[in-house]
Amino acid sequence: MQKTLYITSNGRLRRKDNTLYFETENEKRSIDIENVEQIHIFGEVDLNTKALNYISQYGIILHFYNYYGFYAGSFMPRKKNVSGDVVVRQALHYLDREKRIFLAYCFVESAVYHMMRNLRERKEAEAFLNAIDDEWENGKFNISSISELMGLEGRVRNIYYSSFNQFLPEDFYMEKREKRPPTNPINALISFGNSLIYSTVLTEIYHTQLDPSISFLHEPSEKRFSLSLDISEIFKPLVVDTVIFKLLNNHQLSLEHFDEDLNYCYLNQEGRKIFIKELQSKLETTVRHRQLNRNVSYKGFIRLECYKLIKHFIGDQVYSPLKAWW
Amino acid sequence: MFVIVTYDINEKRVNKVRKILKKYFTWVQNSVFEGEITLGKLEKCKRELLSVIEKDEDSVYFYEMEYKLVCNKKVLGQEKNYDSIII
């Protein structure tokens, strides 16, 4: 499998000896460029066009994050898989109200399914599980617009997040989900994880013929690659939340891994490393796929989700979102 | 697959060989590289090497294993951790 690289220290990416070097003040490391698929950059990194040109030859995507670990943008080499046909059909599905709601509903349905899956095995969260079930079962038949669907999703998510207090360590008590900026450790973790999964999904979309800016659940006018927000909905509870539970309940992450200031809170460098390592090993975990009859990693499932969407757009097979069966 | 590469090359060409191997593998010791690689990329790497080395003077050994676990690597003394994905 192609590697994902995370750069958390400060230094310079440079093209030398026909490969890529990462140089810090006291260390020089060569990167085996042939095996790299994407690089996430968190530190202060210098690079020049010579390096960028070389990186683009290998189709490597660079994701940049700002000081606080929020996604800032990506460097995408020239897209190799383009298909006007698929893009036009994708846009048609956005324009048709019925078709758009169908797809948006699929994403939310799968997200809710995975949220419930996370809670199902926890005794403490049973009441919340029932509450989510009620809210969802009652709400899902009365959806006539995207905004109503978003509202329902928001309500479900609120119940879901409030259940976290029941089974996470006391240090990580969460009153409510807060973003921009996150005010307490658990919000910081969720935000950081979500921005990582967001760019991972973007990488996978990039390797397919889909256009990342035409989305269905989120409005495409948000100046972002919103299709990856849509697909991330499925994988946020499935990947990010399970990683958070594992790290917190095993006390691998504690309050000392967070920098807290007056009214915000972020993971520090040490904490980021722990989190990234766990997330990466989660993404590489494989599951036996029932139809394909081979092992597929969580990252592979993201790609499969894209292929399923393409099949849906070209009228080959109706899209049914991933629902973890294992 | 997991591959260990060792080489013994005439000084005139050793840098060329090292630079090629750096693209595909992680450097672990003087004249030793290792890393995970696909079959296609391994062939590509071998082809590149063949265009550089003199067949009757130089040699490059490839130890090819199907899985990394088969290798059962043990280290005495210092282990350089050059293949971690977090820098």
Side-chain angles (χ1 to χ4, degrees), chain A residues 2 4 6 8-9 17-18 21-22 29 32-35 280, chain B residues 19 22-26 36-37 41 44 82 84-87:
Chain A
Q2 297 280 81
T4 306
Y6 297 84
T8 54
S9 39
D17 297 347
N18 237 359
Y21 276 82
F22 184 71
R29 202 188 116 157
D32 42 340
I33 192 164
E34 290 271 357
N35 302 318
Q280 190 58 33
Chain B
K19 282 175 188 173
K22 264 191 173 162
K23 282 197 284 188
Y24 297 88
F25 301 98
T26 33
E36 265 183 279
I37 195 169
K41 290 217 171 102
K44 201 174 143 201
Y82 281 126
S84 94
I85 54 155
I86 303 170
I87 314 176

